[in-house]
Amino acid sequence: MTETATGTDWRSWQESWDRQQEWYMPDREERFRVMLDMVEAVVGPEPRVLDLACGTGSITDRLLKRFPGATSTGVDLDPALLAIARGTFEGDDRVAFVTADLKDPDWTTRLPHTSYDAVLTATALHWLHSEPLATLYGQLGGLVRDGGVFMNADRTIDPATPRINAAERAHRHAAMDRAKAGGALDWAEWWAVAAKDPVLAAPTAERFKIYGEHADGDMPSADWHARTLLASGFGEARAVWASPSDSLVLAVK
């Protein structure tokens, strides 16, 4: 168990977030596996990692279990998810967390390092529209070291395949409905539970002041991500994993 002086079982909160996310993305662990495979393949087993829009630290958790010699800086703005992340990794000197808004032009100045071997993110940047996302990619072009990697695992939609998109969505939502009938929590229900927790209630209220209700950005295709990363200073970029609804795009500096 990961408990602090507050008595909060942070590991249980971490696991409940994972279960909620898996309700939306049954291939989530496979995405993480391929992501870490490619980290090892390109930059080795002891990388300095930036966990971008880290949330509860899901990537950091898997990174350190697989690569004990790695280090991670998690950056996010969400006070509730950062509370879970900080509680989970309290006392681990391989991990640091930074509160920053990725829409702030100066967010990188808050980081403890000026360059990283790998910048990793998952299920987070879809809330950015294309223009601010392209701006962010330009910033990452200066943050990833030469030979380093950036990876974004997220929902991608190809507008050229509307029938495939509709069929996939219907099939996925039918499975989600079956899981929901079996007791799975969706995003809104998970946050309702967090809002009632004596430790997370205040940071949860604060995060809704910051973000409001969840809203998606443009969710462009994997090809758009690759083209935009190439225009942002990366030397190579393409999808290295895909499901019918999600892609993992890898860019090498």
Side-chain angles (χ1 to χ4, degrees):
M1 297 295 185
T2 308
E3 297 188 8
T4 65
T6 65
T8 300
D9 184 350
W10 295 114
R11 177 56 60 181
S12 289
W13 277 108
Q14 187 80 242
E15 291 172 355
S16 72
W17 177 261
D18 282 342
R19 288 192 297 271
Q20 178 257 125
Q21 290 288 286
E22 287 164 0
W23 180 68
Y24 293 95
M25 295 163 291
D27 298 320
R28 185 170 180 255
E29 290 302 324
E30 177 71 4
R31 291 194 315 174
F32 286 137
R33 182 190 67 78
V34 175
M35 176 181 282
L36 296 181
D37 281 351
M38 297 310 299
V39 168
E40 185 174 26
V42 181
V43 298
E46 296 187 355
R48 175 191 289 171
V49 170
L50 177 64
D51 187 350
L52 188 71
C54 64
T56 65
S58 297
I59 290 174
T60 294
D61 190 31
R62 288 152 181 82
L63 173 79
L64 297 180
K65 286 175 180 175
R66 179 159 169 179
F67 306 126
T71 60
S72 179
T73 302
V75 58
D76 208 303
L77 186 61
D78 189 313
L81 298 185
L82 279 174
I84 295 171
R86 288 186 168 111
T88 299
F89 297 99
E90 184 177 13
D92 191 333
D93 60 10
R94 298 170 297 174
V95 185
F97 291 100
V98 174
T99 300
D101 185 350
L102 298 183
K103 293 182 180 179
D104 179 350
D106 298 320
W107 72 270
T108 59
T109 63
R110 296 175 176 265
L111 301 177
H113 307 290
T114 57
S115 69
Y116 288 85
D117 301 312
V119 177
L120 309 176
T121 187
T123 324
L125 301 188
H126 59 266
W127 53 266
L128 285 176
H129 290 283
S130 298
E131 186 174 344
L133 181 55
T135 298
L136 177 64
Y137 280 177
Q139 293 172 310
L140 297 180
L143 198 58
V144 175
R145 68 161 173 84
D146 287 346
V149 299
F150 166 69
M151 276 183 269
N152 180 13
D154 211 342
R155 182 63 46 83
T156 52
I157 297 176
D158 190 336
T161 59
R163 288 185 296 168
I164 294 173
N165 299 346
E168 180 280 323
R169 187 181 189 280
H171 184 267
R172 175 166 43 87
H173 277 260
M176 290 166 66
D177 288 344
R178 292 191 296 271
K180 189 76 176 292
L185 294 181
D186 64 20
W187 187 88
E189 290 167 336
W190 189 91
W191 280 110
V193 173
K196 296 177 182 178
D197 182 82
V199 175
L200 287 178
T204 295
E206 182 63 24
R207 72 90 54 201
F208 279 99
K209 289 180 182 178
I210 295 170
Y211 292 107
E213 293 299 324
H214 186 272
D216 285 328
D218 298 329
M219 287 186 286
S221 69
D223 286 343
W224 180 93
H225 286 278
R227 291 194 309 270
T228 306
L229 287 162
L230 290 172
S232 300
F234 289 88
E236 297 180 7
R238 70 171 176 89
V240 293
W241 177 91
S243 75
S245 62
D246 288 53
S247 298
L248 171 60
V249 176
L250 163 64
V252 178
K253 182 72 180 292

